[in-house]
Amino acid sequence: MLFSITNKLFIRAILFIFFIVLIPKIYSQDITPLRTIKTNDSDGMSTWVQAPSINVTGIVTSITELGTGTAGPGTIQDSETGIAIYGNFFSRDGGLKKGDSVIVYDVHVQAYNGLTELSYNPNSSVQIISSGHVVNPVEIKLADFSDGWDGFEKYESMLVMVKNVTFTDTATTFSLNGKSGWSYHITDGVDTVQFRIVRNTPYYIDKPIPKGLVNIVGIVSQYDASAPYNSGYEIFPIDSTSISPVTSVNFKHEIDNSYNLYQNYPNPFNPSTKIGYQLPVSGFVSLKVYDLLGREIATLVNENKLAGKYEATFNAEGLPSGIYIYRLTSGSKNLAKKMLLVK
């Protein structure tokens, strides 16, 4: 009986410590939501710059990848957005790992060339709540990088995926070009952002730049030297698997009973590209190419076709670089897409 009572008293003491001491330390802090910090003014500057120190919480999505030094910035992310953090804990030897759920205490909001970030001071600290969390990238388009620059800049510092993009650079390999960091460029045929490598991302340095369509996973960042901060958007790779090639569409074997006009491949292109389309029923088909002024550039198809999948080749030899529109007309259907010629 005495043993049982002693055990009960011990358990109660442990619970008392947990609920009275540990729980308040973890959950009773004044935590500032990341969304609040990422609220920008009309110049794209966080309204929290120069505010008193704050506490934040989130899951670590990168360590030092965004910077060229040894103390970050790394990034954390919650259910709404992410933010960059400079400090010794976000370093190679800081003890944090991707997937750690943390509370970061006593940090200040600052802005660096359009990027909202948090910086350490002597009283700053990090508490690891748990580990092993997985943050899946959010699929966005290149146009989304600048979304909310004069309001809520949601995707800045988030882990994202962009699909079906192409490198436009003429270089054949990734290189720092004698500097601590260097930017390349990716496009989806309409919008373009920078692909940034630094000395903390050695897995792409001196490696071939992919040709053709790729998917990229990375952290969104920004480097814009002057207000308004609405340009200079970048994506930083997070590991050696950040770039993956896109397998071209097999037009002959897909099964889908609908009209479809596929994105041309490759895109951007020079000087020729392939355009796939699908017809659920037989009929007259017109596939034409126009410039942005609506002038007809080429007629690729202008005849009756049986139901099925087809592929046409557009050769832009002699045409200037720029965006072109290709339009498929069949029956009552009228489908169009954009493509980019880069010479």
Side-chain angles (χ1 to χ4, degrees):
M1 177 66 72
L2 179 61
F3 179 77
S4 176
I5 293 174
T6 302
N7 278 349
K8 289 180 180 179
L9 290 174
F10 177 75
I11 292 172
R12 288 176 180 176
I14 294 298
L15 291 175
F16 175 82
I17 294 172
F18 184 74
F19 284 104
I20 302 301
V21 178
L22 296 181
I23 291 295
K25 178 175 179 57
I26 296 174
Y27 295 105
S28 296
Q29 302 294 328
D30 292 326
I31 301 295
T32 302
L34 300 186
R35 180 187 180 98
T36 301
I37 302 168
K38 298 287 289 297
T39 300
N40 293 334
D41 60 21
S42 58
D43 275 337
M45 175 80 73
S46 171
T47 57
W48 277 65
V49 173
Q50 306 301 327
S53 62
I54 58 175
N55 308 318
V56 297
T57 186
I59 296 175
V60 177
T61 49
S62 70
I63 304 290
T64 74
E65 273 86 358
L66 300 188
T68 57
T70 59
T75 50
I76 65 171
Q77 186 170 316
D78 61 17
S79 61
E80 292 190 279
T81 188
I83 199 161
I85 305 181
Y86 264 103
N88 291 332
F89 284 93
F90 285 84
S91 68
R92 296 185 183 91
D93 303 316
L96 292 182
K97 302 183 299 297
K98 295 176 185 177
D100 285 345
S101 175
V102 299
I103 297 178
V104 186
Y105 299 101
D106 200 2
V107 285
H108 292 273
V109 181
Q110 64 181 22
Y112 179 72
N113 289 317
L115 177 68
T116 300
E117 58 189 20
L118 302 176
S119 63
Y120 273 53
N121 62 66
N123 297 319
S124 301
S125 63
V126 170
Q127 181 181 3
I128 300 175
I129 305 304
S130 56
S131 299
H133 298 274
V134 175
V135 177
N136 294 317
V138 177
E139 185 178 334
I140 66 172
K141 298 183 182 300
L142 297 188
D144 296 327
F145 276 55
S146 59
D147 183 48
W149 70 268
D150 59 346
F152 169 45
E153 205 161 12
K154 176 179 179 177
Y155 296 115
E156 181 188 85
S157 298
M158 282 188 72
L159 180 65
V160 304
M161 172 185 284
V162 290
K163 289 186 173 182
N164 300 314
V165 296
T166 310
F167 284 92
T168 64
D169 305 274
T170 58
T172 57
T173 58
F174 293 112
S175 171
L176 293 182
N177 293 305
K179 300 181 181 296
S180 57
W182 196 262
S183 291
Y184 295 84
H185 301 84
I186 55 175
T187 183
D188 56 10
V190 179
D191 296 286
T192 299
V193 301
Q194 298 178 91
F195 177 86
R196 180 80 169 173
I197 61 170
V198 295
R199 63 186 183 213
N200 287 335
T201 53
Y203 27 81
Y204 286 116
I205 299 172
D206 297 327
K207 298 296 191 300
I209 298 175
K211 304 300 181 184
L213 292 175
V214 295
N215 299 332
I216 296 178
V217 174
I219 301 292
V220 176
S221 188
Q222 185 181 19
Y223 189 92
D224 188 351
S226 60
Y229 301 104
N230 58 358
S231 65
Y233 290 96
E234 305 172 315
I235 186 167
F236 282 76
I238 58 170
D239 57 36
S240 60
T241 65
S242 288
I243 303 176
S244 58
V246 176
T247 303
S248 60
V249 178
N250 187 339
F251 299 112
K252 295 181 180 179
H253 296 93
E254 285 192 355
I255 300 175
D256 186 5
N257 295 319
S258 61
Y259 284 96
N260 270 311
L261 179 62
Y262 299 99
Q263 187 64 54
N264 64 299
Y265 179 84
N267 186 46
F269 65 98
N270 179 30
S272 65
T273 187
K274 295 184 181 298
I275 299 171
Y277 61 97
Q278 175 180 275
L279 308 173
V281 296
S282 301
F284 186 81
V285 178
S286 170
L287 179 60
K288 297 184 177 182
V289 179
Y290 301 85
D291 64 16
L292 288 180
L293 296 178
R295 295 176 298 199
E296 183 178 323
I297 301 299
T299 298
L300 306 182
V301 180
N302 196 49
E303 60 184 344
N304 285 300
K305 292 280 189 181
L306 296 176
K309 294 182 184 294
Y310 297 90
E311 190 176 83
T313 299
F314 172 54
N315 192 316
E317 190 73 42
L319 293 175
S321 298
I323 297 173
Y324 293 86
I325 310 294
Y326 56 100
R327 185 181 302 277
L328 175 73
T329 303
S330 182
S332 61
K333 292 294 182 180
N334 195 332
L335 306 175
K337 287 185 178 293
K338 295 178 180 179
M339 56 184 170
L340 178 63
L341 172 63
V342 177
K343 292 188 173 181

